[in-house]
Amino acid sequence: MDVNREELIASLGGEAAVKGMDHEARADALEDYMSAKLDAQVAARTSGKKYPTVAELESKVDSRGYRRGAGKLFIHERSNQNPDADESGKRVARLEPMPEKATLVDFFKLRFPPAAHLLQSARLARKNGLSEEIILACLLHDTGQYLCRADHGYWGAQIVEPYVSERVTFAIKYHQALRFYPDRSVNYEYPEGYFTTFGIDYEPLPHVKAAYEYARNHKWYMDARMVTTNDLYAFDPNVKVEIEEFTDIIGRNFRHPKEGLGNDNTPVTHMWRTMAIPDAPL
Ligand SMILES: [Fe+2]
Ligand SMILES: [Fe+2]
């Protein structure tokens, strides 16, 4: 198996962390890294699915009417402008207006539905006995995607930063990079779905590698890592989780502005407003 030296060093927490390891620890880490990567590749090959390559995904860029990084509120991915779509030619939905003093729960009910991925991830974190901050981070971890899918961890962290603790912001921001890097200590493997999304031969971009190395050595590493271990993709379509299940945690950990999200005066107010009225032409 090929070992990408840079990726390996990044997966161990960067040059400094590797220098601090003794020989035996380095050998164990190398074995762990190789077996984690190998497991992911074997799982991908034996699943019977055909995964695209990076080049195949790139070849479709100019056959879509939108870019893949566009926020979920602004496109319907199964619209007839998508080369991978079925024939249904789906359209975006007409949106109900938001209440004047909109809360996070209002956004979950009126702009983020069905949000099954977020709600089921948060429920899993709660079932796993994680702290309220981690449960909230799981609930919010992909909300940035409604605005912009590209670099969604950063967008997601930024929109909530004025309203949550620094730890919650950190966990949301760095889950994006950590998703690419296995951590056997908590049974976190490379997600098979990423072979489809990014291509079977994808290498994370340099800023993602750098973010991973930074987070790996941070005292809150496990907070962000816990978001990735509860980041539930194989969610059950028959399980319906309501946002009300988390109103207690939101109440204690999300400082709602009295004017409502999108009406207060923070550096991110306009981002909530954009999500409230995504049909605004300018
Ligand atoms: Fe994510
Ligand atoms: Fe996620």
Side-chain angles (χ1 to χ4, degrees), residues 50-102:
K50 163 102 177 75
Y51 293 101
T53 62
V54 170
E56 282 164 355
L57 289 171
E58 276 178 12
S59 73
K60 291 182 179 173
V61 165
D62 56 4
S63 56
R64 283 189 196 90
Y66 63 90
R67 297 193 189 279
R68 291 178 85 205
K72 286 163 95 165
L73 270 168
F74 303 94
I75 56 162
H76 197 300
E77 280 181 289
R78 283 185 293 285
S79 80
N80 52 11
Q81 290 192 44
N82 177 350
D84 297 324
D86 53 28
E87 297 301 302
S88 58
K90 296 258 173 63
R91 296 288 186 271
V92 295
R94 213 173 274 266
L95 295 168
E96 271 184 59
M98 294 290 288
E100 204 182 319
K101 295 181 177 174

Side-chain angles (χ1 to χ4, degrees), residues 141-142 145 152 175 231:
H141 77 281
D142 283 340
Q145 289 193 22
H152 75 283
H175 93 274
D231 199 342

